[in-house]
Amino acid sequence: MLFRSNSLFNLNESAGSGGAIWADISFSSVNSRFEGNEADDGYGGALYLSGLTHVRGTTFTQNSAYDADESGDDGEGGAINQETDCAGFLVERSTFTQNEAQDSGGAINCNDCEPGEIVRVDGSTFTGNEAVYDAGGAIDEDNEAYLQLNRNRFSANRVAPTGDYDEGTGGAVWMNHGRLRGNTFSGNTARVCGAAVYVSSHRGDARFAQRNNRFQSNRADGARTRWDVCVGT
């Protein structure tokens, strides 16, 4: 296991993925700070991970992931990218502020998760994160895992804020399957659909539940809908 506690990772840069840390073993971060780290042509502006992940009491500020060669395959997970082995992924009591992904998952992106795996985020704050082109201003879970969001605050996150894109769904969150409980969504913006949350049903079997969530002043500019939560194809 790679363990980091009370550490600062500042202004690190990678030509590929993982601006501060690239780890394919179990990873834990407690009470640490990741600030201004950058993945120039890959995934995970601060962290690129592919093992059991636990993040607690950690702040991520102005980290970024870009697609420098414009291949269309990179630029996901402005702060964290989880690549496979999503079971047991847990972020709790952490703060994500003004992180940016060129493609999707302005703060957190999960790739190649398997059915039955649970991705969980509890008691965390996401403010001003941005996915420039595609999906999930704060969080993008574009696979078969079950995303559980509990008692988080999402404010002023946005997806596809400029340009003439068909993309731009899920101002705060994009998911295939998941459950929302006790979260607050305020002032999030999507270019097309799902001002706060977009739930994809393109596989025809989307599982989604929500309870005791608060939605306020979220906005989707597309003609399809201005709903806070959008279930689309």
Side-chain angles (χ1 to χ4, degrees):
M1 171 182 281
L2 179 60
F3 175 75
R4 289 292 179 267
S5 176
N6 299 302
S7 300
L8 170 64
F9 297 85
N10 184 42
L11 300 177
N12 299 286
E13 185 174 348
S14 168
S17 296
I21 293 176
W22 190 103
D24 61 358
I25 58 175
S26 296
F27 174 82
S28 178
S29 173
V30 178
N31 298 333
S32 293
R33 293 156 50 200
F34 293 83
E35 301 174 353
N37 302 288
E38 183 175 314
D40 286 340
D41 192 28
Y43 301 81
L47 303 175
Y48 178 92
L49 307 170
S50 56
L52 183 67
T53 296
H54 181 204
V55 174
R56 176 165 57 89
T58 295
T59 63
F60 297 85
T61 306
Q62 294 182 341
N63 302 284
S64 54
Y66 296 116
D67 182 12
D69 63 5
E70 298 186 352
S71 66
D73 297 326
D74 301 312
E76 300 181 3
I80 300 175
N81 186 83
Q82 179 73 25
E83 194 78 18
T84 72
D85 293 330
C86 301
F89 179 96
L90 173 61
V91 171
E92 55 181 341
R93 300 197 301 276
S94 294
T95 302
F96 297 80
T97 305
Q98 294 181 351
N99 301 284
E100 179 181 278
Q102 185 171 341
D103 189 69
S104 56
I108 297 174
N109 184 73
C110 295
N111 275 323
D112 296 331
C113 301
E114 297 293 333
E117 293 182 328
I118 294 176
V119 172
R120 200 172 103 200
V121 181
D122 294 348
S124 296
T125 301
F126 296 81
T127 305
N129 302 286
E130 182 177 315
V132 177
Y133 289 154
D134 194 5
I139 298 175
D140 178 38
E141 199 299 291
D142 184 16
N143 290 278
E144 292 296 323
Y146 194 76
L147 178 62
Q148 295 184 355
L149 301 178
N150 306 296
R151 304 178 307 282
N152 303 289
R153 297 183 65 86
F154 297 88
S155 60
N157 302 286
R158 58 184 188 169
V159 59
T162 59
D164 184 18
Y165 305 119
D166 291 333
E167 298 87 354
T169 51
V173 177
W174 199 105
M175 66 171 75
N176 279 306
H177 312 289
R179 183 192 71 194
L180 311 176
R181 287 188 179 175
N183 303 282
T184 298
F185 298 86
S186 62
N188 301 287
T189 305
R191 179 75 174 177
V192 177
C193 184
V197 179
Y198 182 88
V199 183
S200 174
S201 62
H202 69 273
R203 295 179 176 87
D205 62 349
R207 294 174 289 119
F208 174 70
Q210 64 158 318
R211 189 174 73 181
N212 298 331
N213 299 289
R214 181 181 179 186
F215 300 90
Q216 182 178 8
S217 302
N218 302 290
R219 180 177 177 83
D221 292 326
R224 291 173 58 189
T225 180
R226 295 177 185 271
W227 294 343
D228 290 306
V229 179
C230 176
V231 178
T233 56

